[in-house]
Amino acid sequence: MLKRQSVSALALVGILCLSLCQFSSAQPNNGTVRKKAPTKPRANEIKTKLPHQEDPTALPFEMDKVDSSQLGKMRLATMRIDKIIDKRLAAEGIEPNGPSSDGQFVRRAYLDITGTIPTGREAYLFITSKQSNKREVLIDYLLGQPGYASHLYNYWADTLRIVDRSTGNTYIRPWADWVKKSLRDNLPYDEFVREMLSAEGKVWHSPATGYKLRDIGMPLDNLNNTIRIFLGTRIGCAQCHDHPFDKWTQKEFYQLAAFEAGIKTSGARATYAQKNMKAAITEVGDRSREANLMRRIERYNRYTVNVTATKLKFPHDYAYDDAKPGELVTAKILFGSIPTMAPDSDRRDLFAHWMTSTDNQRFAMTIANRMWKRAFGRGVFEPVDDIMDDTHVSNPELLDALVREMRRVKFDIKEFMRVIYNTEAYQRQVTYDDVNAVDDYFFEGPILRRMTAEQIWDSVLTLTFNNIDYFLRPDDKEYIKAIDADPGLTIFEINLKIDDISKAEANKRTHDRKHSYQGLVLRRASELPQPLPASHFLRQFGQSDREIIGDGTVEGTVPQLLALFNGPITHMMLESGSVVHREVMGTAESNRLTVVFLSILGRMPTEEERGASYKEVRDYGPAGLGNVIWALLNTREFIYVQ
């Protein structure tokens, strides 16, 4: 159970050598808590080692906002859901948790919707607001912010195993960019999935093909992942034999796979080979960097999604008596019926439309339960991707209501989450007690959760920079133009391509250096390479390597303690010019501790905390104020979502 960490130990922190003396160089300002965003420092005001001090330009995209015309229906839906939850709690003899405080709610809403804590100013304005429907207004505002898409992208990147390169031979970053755009545009979820299942061509021409190119040469594994992610069902065992724990047979697996049997993830050599490649490599030397880039051009253009007339056969070692080894497989769905479509629709389109059909109960059920778990920390059934006919559901009436709601909003994930965040159940205090994974949970409130790696990283950036959503990963149009090649290039054209690749890579490195601090590129987690190296802060805090579905973790480790205790990510937050530095040093001395607590924890300090913090500042001056900030960042209260 999380208990508020005592700050009375702060006096001990002052003796640590933390390199926090940046605070001592700033001059106090006798203003009050400001309502305007911190401005760019004047040339003679603050010198800083931090990047991102320039005024950001306009975002290169627009965010889809919530539909104000749906407000009445949203309110009715929240009441229905709350009624179902309260009815079940009463039947179980369980008291619902009390309502969350404004400080708890504003921090939870920012973290759950945009993936980062609010600034001290944002927390202050919300807590002190007298507007009666301020929670509803805040939810609508946050759902329309770029952070909503950034945070939801992190979830799908972990679930879909999004990477920039699926092997050393492929480049599929355009898929990641397409996923981000789909979330910013609020593309309905059924269309989002259907496009990934039916796209074809090169990934830079048709980015959704990245979903298939993620599993090059492994069509049956890709099918298993597809059913698990989108239908919440694990049929992988049936690839080799009848499922030992579920009803699926090997024959059924192959019948389903037959819908996608004609999909190839590499083109015929004539579609990508460069007949002058050997001569071009001879000119530059077989082991030269240029030669490797030449080979890369050919490899990257080899992999594409194309549909052929190939049909699937049962494996040579098929051992059951319901089919013969080598026999052609007739395509057949697992359950339900295929939607009515045009007579000339191919097998792949039929499969995609069956998968995403409104009538496919498991499709709507799986995504509704996934999104519910994102808000509450626990699904109505667990695990979210292993549905069986006898799967135990903690509240069947609630699950039915969520599925109906998903269908009502026509798979509009933003509107669905709007309903969930506005429920009284979501806005209650969290459950602090440990919740046993095998016991039913009836949603007396959200479960206390530890921040994900991405939430921690993005929150520290929020304490450091203004407008973190404006600092995007540079697009790769220049690089794609360089690597995109039709077969038959001349030696001269191949060499031009090599020059263009080198220039694009050099421009990327220059951009990254410009936005780095002590070797770390400072952009939101969604705007960094996918995945990051194992030594990176995000990986240390549990971001997955994208090899396994949903493999991110929130378990604590010793390297995490060291990274927050005295790593560059902590020091950058305390540099002159950071958001927290400016907000604290730009207000009256009497208000500074309040600003510190609002910035780090999203709430006002208690009298005990204020006294302990005041003693630290009195004894150590501005450096003591830095110690208070550092100490709060290392509390469990900071790292958990209440």
Side-chain angles (χ1 to χ4, degrees):
M1 173 166 43
L2 177 71
K3 295 179 181 177
R4 180 172 294 166
Q5 205 164 354
S6 172
V7 193
S8 60
L10 284 172
L12 298 177
V13 178
I15 64 174
L16 298 174
C17 182
L18 301 173
S19 302
L20 304 182
C21 45
Q22 293 94 331
F23 269 76
S24 62
S25 64
Q27 296 299 316
N29 183 331
N30 292 324
T32 57
V33 177
R34 295 174 295 172
K35 303 299 196 313
K36 292 172 61 179
T39 57
K40 181 179 177 182
R42 295 184 296 274
N44 62 349
E45 183 186 0
I46 297 177
K47 292 183 179 180
T48 181
K49 300 175 183 177
L50 295 172
H52 300 327
Q53 296 300 307
E54 70 276 12
D55 293 324
T57 57
L59 286 168
F61 57 83
E62 291 185 4
M63 281 293 300
D64 183 80
K65 308 296 184 183
V66 297
D67 186 350
S68 58
S69 69
Q70 296 296 306
L71 180 61
K73 293 180 179 178
M74 180 273 291
R75 288 173 175 168
L76 288 173
T78 62
M79 287 190 289
R80 285 194 297 267
I81 290 171
D82 280 324
K83 184 177 180 181
I84 291 170
I85 291 174
D86 290 347
K87 173 183 164 186
R88 186 59 186 271
L89 288 172
E92 298 292 333
I94 299 172
E95 284 291 324
N97 298 343
S100 60
S101 68
D102 282 343
Q104 291 169 334
F105 178 78
V106 67
R107 195 171 190 269
R108 182 193 305 173
Y110 268 85
L111 281 165
D112 281 353
I113 301 175
T114 67
T116 180
I117 60 173
T119 65
R121 179 167 295 99
E122 289 166 337
Y124 173 79
L125 291 176
F126 182 83
I127 291 169
T128 57
S129 171
K130 303 302 182 184
Q131 189 172 351
S132 61
N133 65 335
K134 63 183 181 181
R135 294 192 177 194
E136 188 178 81
V137 171
L138 178 67
I139 290 166
D140 282 3
Y141 168 76
L142 295 177
L143 287 170
Q145 295 305 298
Y148 163 80
S150 176
H151 184 44
L152 187 52
Y153 168 81
N154 292 330
Y155 174 82
W156 284 118
D158 187 40
T159 304
L160 299 174
R161 303 172 300 126
I162 291 177
V163 293
D164 291 343
R165 293 173 173 81
S166 55
T167 69
N169 298 320
T170 61
Y171 182 75
I172 58 173
R173 182 192 151 181
W175 175 38
D177 293 337
W178 173 82
V179 170
K180 290 179 198 173
K181 183 179 186 304
S182 299
L183 299 176
R184 290 164 182 159
D185 295 343
N186 197 30
L187 183 69
Y189 177 72
D190 55 341
E191 294 180 33
F192 173 71
V193 175
R194 195 155 53 240
E195 193 158 345
M196 287 190 286
L197 296 180
S198 58
E200 54 186 289
K202 290 182 180 179
V203 71
W204 42 82
H205 298 151
S206 181
T209 57
Y211 178 73
K212 289 294 179 187
L213 295 176
R214 178 64 183 86
D215 297 307
I216 287 173
M218 298 185 292
L220 298 184
D221 288 334
N222 183 264
L223 174 68
N224 175 39
N225 293 337
T226 296
I227 302 302
R228 179 177 170 184
I229 293 170
F230 304 124
L231 295 186
T233 304
R234 301 190 186 190
I235 62 170
C237 285
Q239 180 177 336
C240 302
H241 49 74
D242 289 355
H243 201 300
F245 309 115
D246 206 348
K247 64 183 181 180
W248 312 116
T249 66
Q250 187 178 16
K251 182 178 182 179
E252 287 175 315
F253 182 95
Y254 271 82
Q255 287 175 324
L256 189 66
F259 281 102
E260 297 191 305
I263 299 174
K264 303 297 180 185
T265 50
S266 63
R269 183 166 178 79
T271 65
Y272 66 86
Q274 299 294 339
K275 63 181 180 181
N276 293 312
M277 183 67 71
K278 187 174 181 179
I281 288 176
T282 300
E283 284 189 4
V284 297
D286 185 65
R287 297 188 177 184
S288 65
R289 175 179 177 275
E290 290 78 9
N292 289 332
L293 291 178
M294 291 176 185
R295 296 186 186 99
R296 185 190 300 175
I297 290 174
E298 199 170 61
R299 290 197 305 269
Y300 281 2
N301 285 274
R302 173 183 178 181
Y303 294 101
T304 178
V305 176
N306 56 90
V307 181
T308 70
T310 302
K311 293 187 177 181
L312 185 66
K313 296 180 180 180
F314 286 103
H316 67 88
D317 58 351
Y318 189 80
Y320 300 100
D321 58 8
D322 53 2
K324 297 179 180 179
E327 179 183 340
L328 287 176
V329 182
T330 300
K332 184 179 178 181
I333 56 177
L334 291 176
F335 44 74
S337 58
I338 294 178
T340 303
M341 295 179 62
D344 59 348
S345 299
D346 63 27
R347 291 172 294 170
R348 194 178 180 206
D349 279 340
L350 289 173
F351 174 73
H353 279 80
W354 165 74
M355 170 80 69
T356 59
S357 169
T358 304
D359 295 329
N360 190 332
Q361 178 76 359
R362 289 202 183 188
F363 182 70
M365 183 190 301
T366 299
I367 186 58
N369 193 50
R370 281 185 177 277
M371 293 299 104
W372 181 264
K373 183 173 182 175
R374 287 188 72 230
F376 280 84
R378 180 76 172 259
V380 187
F381 60 84
E382 290 284 349
V384 297
D385 58 0
D386 195 13
I387 302 173
M388 300 183 186
D389 288 346
D390 60 351
T391 289
H392 177 70
V393 179
S394 65
N395 189 334
E397 189 180 0
L398 173 60
L399 182 60
D400 289 344
L402 294 176
V403 170
R404 286 196 302 272
E405 193 59 24
M406 183 62 74
R407 288 170 171 159
R408 180 189 73 79
V409 300
K410 298 179 180 178
F411 294 98
D412 180 336
I413 298 300
K414 183 172 291 189
E415 187 64 24
F416 183 81
M417 298 308 294
R418 184 189 190 193
V419 170
I420 292 177
Y421 294 136
N422 274 284
T423 60
E424 287 185 7
Y426 174 77
Q427 295 185 23
R428 289 171 177 151
Q429 294 269 353
V430 297
T431 295
Y432 289 94
D433 295 332
D434 290 334
V435 178
N436 194 313
V438 299
D439 292 338
D440 281 338
Y441 183 68
F442 299 107
F443 305 104
E444 47 265 41
I447 291 175
L448 179 70
R449 290 159 288 150
R450 195 173 188 268
M451 285 193 209
T452 64
E454 293 85 357
Q455 285 173 318
I456 296 170
W457 171 268
D458 289 350
S459 292
V460 175
L461 291 188
T462 294
L463 291 165
T464 309
F465 305 115
N466 287 312
N467 305 307
I468 63 170
D469 291 312
Y470 283 74
F471 301 104
L472 305 175
R473 190 178 185 185
D475 68 51
D476 60 350
K477 292 178 181 177
E478 184 183 16
Y479 185 73
I480 286 174
K481 184 178 179 181
I483 62 175
D484 187 17
D486 293 324
L489 296 180
T490 65
I491 294 177
F492 176 74
E493 290 171 327
I494 291 173
N495 283 316
L496 283 180
K497 288 281 186 185
I498 299 309
D499 290 342
D500 290 343
I501 291 174
S502 298
K503 186 184 301 182
E505 291 180 337
N507 289 341
K508 174 187 174 297
R509 289 192 295 271
T510 299
H511 184 280
D512 285 351
R513 281 196 298 270
K514 182 181 176 183
H515 299 99
S516 296
Y517 175 83
Q518 294 189 18
L520 285 173
V521 178
L522 301 181
R523 295 192 294 262
R524 290 200 68 157
S526 61
E527 300 301 316
L528 294 172
Q530 311 284 317
L532 290 156
S535 60
H536 194 277
F537 179 96
L538 279 157
R539 291 289 300 281
Q540 288 179 335
F541 275 79
Q543 187 184 73
S544 77
D545 60 5
R546 305 286 167 74
E547 291 300 318
I548 299 174
I549 295 170
D551 199 37
T553 178
V554 291
E555 296 297 321
T557 65
V558 172
Q560 293 173 9
L561 292 174
L562 297 175
L564 277 181
F565 203 74
N566 201 24
I569 194 77
T570 303
H571 286 283
M572 78 176 187
M573 184 191 70
L574 294 164
E575 285 278 7
S576 299
S578 73
V579 168
V580 69
H581 180 280
R582 292 192 206 184
E583 288 193 342
V584 170
M585 302 309 295
T587 193
E589 275 191 65
S590 59
N591 289 332
R592 286 180 181 173
L593 290 175
T594 297
V595 173
V596 167
F597 274 78
L598 284 168
S599 298
I600 309 295
L601 303 181
R603 63 171 176 82
M604 307 289 190
T606 65
E607 288 305 311
E608 181 184 5
E609 291 166 341
R610 189 182 295 276
S613 301
Y614 175 77
K615 183 177 185 301
E616 182 72 12
V617 176
R618 184 194 63 197
D619 292 347
Y620 296 97
L625 200 56
N627 291 342
V628 174
I629 293 172
W630 174 88
L632 293 180
L633 189 74
N634 283 276
T635 60
R636 288 180 295 169
E637 186 173 350
F638 172 76
I639 219 82
Y640 277 83
V641 183
Q642 293 187 85

